Every structure is written in structure tokens, then in C-alpha cells.
Amino acid sequence: LEEEDGEFRSAIEYLVEGLRVDPSDAVSALRLARLALTHFGNVRLARGALEAALRADPHFWPALTLLMEMLYSLGDDLGCLE
């Protein structure tokens, strides 16, 4: 399990670095968000990644859907309206 955890951490680091190089990569931002949520429960990183994906492509439905689901599950109904 520790080895797998280390691999996921490395993947997050690579995705973050990739987004620094190319912030227009909405797909990588979505991957980062999913990884942050599913393996680490890091809502802050996931939200930031999803917002970055939507800045890169405001019509990227997978990121919008995941962001709305995440905000709704956290009870942030007003955040869903932004």
C-alpha cells in the first residue's frame, strides 16, 4: 500500500508540474482532481484543479460535472451556482 501511495503522489507531482508548463490542459487538470479526491481526499487540490480545467475550457463538461457533485456533497449549494 505504501508503494502504491508513493506512485499516486508522484503522479500528482507530475500532473501539477505539467499544468504549470501548460495550464490550458483541461484533461490533465481533471485527472489531477480525480486523483486528489479518490486517493487522498484532498478537496482543496481537487477544487483548484477543476477550476483550472474550467478556466482552460469553460465548456469541459466532465470537470463541471465533477465540481458540481463535489460542491453539492460538501453542502456548498451556493458554490454550485457560481
Side-chain angles (χ1 to χ4, degrees):
L1 262 170
E2 287 182 31
E3 183 178 321
E4 187 176 284
D5 189 46
E7 290 176 9
F8 288 127
R9 288 187 191 283
S10 293
I12 284 180
E13 290 172 12
Y14 287 125
L15 285 165
V16 168
E17 184 59 31
L19 289 169
R20 281 192 194 119
V21 172
D22 182 9
S24 68
D25 187 353
V27 174
S28 289
L30 177 64
R31 287 182 180 144
L32 174 60
R34 286 183 175 154
L35 192 59
L37 275 177
T38 57
H39 294 285
F40 298 102
N42 190 330
V43 174
R44 181 180 294 162
L45 179 58
R47 183 175 184 166
L50 292 169
E51 290 173 351
L54 291 170
R55 279 192 301 277
D57 181 357
H59 304 288
F60 189 47
W61 286 103
L64 182 61
T65 302
L66 184 56
L67 180 60
M68 294 303 105
E69 290 171 356
M70 186 181 73
L71 293 174
Y72 183 77
S73 70
L74 293 171
D76 187 359
D77 299 338
L78 294 177
C80 293
L81 298 174
E82 293 178 0

